[in-house]
Amino acid sequence: MGSNRCVYSPLKPEELQVLRGQYEKEGDFVGVQTKFNYAWGLIKSNNRGEQQEGVRLLSEIYRSAPERRRECLYYLGLGNFKLGNYAEARRYNESLLQHEPGNMQAASLQSLIDDKVAKEGLVGVAIVSGVAIAAGVIGSLIFKGARRR
């Protein structure tokens, strides 16, 4: 994570509260920048519910403000990554990299996504293998028991 440490570390509660206060104060007429700032703060949170709300707000901005899409892509990728939605994270991040191939934050996030997917893939293979071995052992025990009768 190194140079991107500040991107992944959460805001202090009082900093997030300032963003939330501004968002709530604007109410039904919330500006795109205020909504983006609040969503950004939520994405950085370690709280899953706040991360989900941040992704939801950014998705709204992405759909309703085409001129802000590129700006939303990285944080939609990061938010989905933090939530474990790796396919969605990859989709947003790859879209950003198509527009900005030299974007170092997006390149770093891409490596994190790839590493996590590879790691979880290996864990999934190990679990499936373990289940298959256990089923084989149980099957052989049942088969031996049936032959003894």
Side-chain angles (χ1 to χ4, degrees), residues 35-103:
K35 186 186 261 192
F36 180 86
N37 292 346
Y38 182 45
W40 167 81
L42 291 169
I43 293 288
K44 289 174 59 89
S45 172
N46 288 330
N47 177 294
R48 186 170 177 80
E50 289 178 345
Q51 292 167 354
Q52 289 170 327
E53 178 68 2
V55 166
R56 187 186 69 73
L57 292 173
L58 282 171
S59 295
E60 287 176 9
I61 296 169
Y62 186 84
R63 283 191 304 275
S64 67
E67 71 282 1
R68 301 297 291 265
R69 284 186 179 157
R70 191 182 282 176
E71 202 175 352
C72 292
L73 287 173
Y74 175 76
Y75 290 102
L76 281 166
L78 178 62
N80 278 289
F81 172 77
K82 290 177 82 172
L83 290 168
N85 304 331
Y86 304 125
E88 281 294 292
R90 177 176 276 140
R91 188 171 64 86
Y92 286 117
N93 202 56
E94 285 177 351
S95 181
L96 176 58
L97 285 168
Q98 283 177 350
H99 294 296
E100 299 176 16
N103 186 315

Side-chain angles (χ1 to χ4, degrees), residues 1 4-10 43-46 74 78 81-82 105 108-109 112:
M1 273 179 353
N4 288 336
R5 186 178 188 94
C6 65
V7 172
Y8 301 105
S9 58
I43 293 288
K44 289 174 59 89
S45 172
N46 288 330
Y74 175 76
L78 178 62
F81 172 77
K82 290 177 82 172
Q105 278 187 321
S108 174
L109 180 56
L112 288 173

